[in-house]
């Protein structure tokens, strides 16, 4: 089975997505605890998580004119959660059209090859990307030490 499966034009569509922004300046922040808090919040609101964890990264220029990164975690719910409090936001539909896509199967520490594959294909085909990425952690096999992840990277608007 191929470790990288590539497609040049995919649409990412998520429904009833609870979004939590990671505070990168908080050195005490524990990624696993952050996700557990999101999952608990969904249960407290009377909903159920459906589907895997999604990580959205987005580069931006900060106030000091330096390149910075925003990271959001997304979890889909079985229904829309009303009156969501900070630090969360609820979106009924997250639709990201015109993405380059790569499914990765292998050790987690080599997941970067999926990003590299998309960037290389974009370079070879003169396609400009936005710099954003959505990584969906589809499956994990602890015994084999492998993961299955889908990576979506939106193309920049073609005028």
């Amino acid at each position: 089975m191929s470790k990288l499966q590539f497609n040049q034009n995919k649409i990412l569509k998520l429904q009833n997505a609870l979004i939590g922004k990671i505070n990168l300046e908080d050195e005490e922040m524990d990624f696993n605890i952050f996700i557990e808090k999101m999952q608990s919040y969904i249960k407290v609101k009377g909903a159920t998580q459906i589907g895997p964890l999604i990580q959205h990264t987005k580069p931006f220029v900060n106030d000091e004119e330096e390149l910075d990164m925003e990271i959001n975690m997304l979890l889909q719910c079985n229904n829309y959660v009303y009156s969501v409090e900070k630090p969360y936001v609820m979106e009924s539909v997250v639709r990201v059209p015109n993405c380059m896509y790569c499914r990765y199967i292998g050790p987690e520490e080599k997941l970067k090859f999926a990003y590299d594959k998309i960037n290389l294909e974009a370079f070879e085909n003169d396609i400009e990307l936005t710099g954003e990425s959505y990584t969906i952690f589809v499956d994990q096999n602890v015994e084999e030490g492998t993961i299955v992840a889908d990576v979506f990277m939106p193309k920049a608007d073609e005028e």
Side-chain angles (χ1 to χ4, degrees):
M1 177 183 276
S2 177
K3 293 180 181 182
L4 295 171
Q5 299 165 11
F6 176 77
N7 190 308
Q8 196 164 357
N9 197 12
K10 283 276 205 179
I11 296 172
L12 173 63
K13 186 175 179 185
L14 307 172
Q15 293 184 322
N16 300 325
L18 181 71
I19 303 168
K21 183 177 179 180
I22 301 277
N23 182 358
L24 296 174
E25 295 171 6
D26 181 2
E27 295 176 14
E28 302 290 313
M29 208 288 297
D30 183 317
F31 178 79
N32 291 325
I33 291 173
F34 185 86
I35 300 305
E36 287 174 15
K37 285 181 180 178
M38 283 184 74
Q39 292 169 329
S40 294
Y41 187 82
I42 289 170
K43 288 178 187 170
V44 165
K45 290 294 188 172
T48 305
Q49 176 186 338
I50 55 170
L53 173 69
I54 300 125
Q55 176 181 301
H56 173 224
T57 59
K58 181 178 182 177
F60 68 95
V61 177
N62 65 21
D63 296 335
E64 290 83 38
E65 300 292 318
E66 298 170 340
L67 188 61
D68 208 341
M69 187 70 63
E70 177 180 305
I71 300 177
N72 294 308
M73 304 310 296
L74 294 83
L75 291 174
Q76 293 182 93
C77 303
N78 63 336
N79 53 43
Y80 188 85
V81 177
Y82 292 92
S83 8
V84 171
E85 299 92 7
K86 287 189 175 190
Y88 305 118
V89 175
M90 189 76 189
E91 294 286 340
S92 59
V93 175
V94 174
R95 188 174 188 278
V96 188
N98 207 19
C99 292
M100 296 185 83
Y101 162 85
C102 187
R103 170 161 276 192
Y104 170 79
I105 302 169
E108 186 170 3
E109 63 271 9
K110 294 187 179 178
L111 174 59
K112 79 171 219 62
F113 290 133
Y115 302 97
D116 292 346
K117 172 79 172 173
I118 292 172
N119 282 308
L120 183 61
E121 290 283 343
F123 172 75
E124 286 182 336
N125 293 290
D126 295 317
I127 297 169
E128 189 175 337
L129 300 172
T130 65
E132 292 181 67
S133 68
Y134 292 83
T135 306
I136 302 171
F137 296 93
V138 178
D139 196 13
Q140 180 176 17
N141 186 327
V142 178
E143 293 161 5
E144 292 180 13
T146 61
I147 63 166
V148 177
D150 292 338
V151 177
F152 291 80
M153 296 177 80
K155 298 176 191 175
D157 290 335
E158 298 159 4
E159 298 175 22

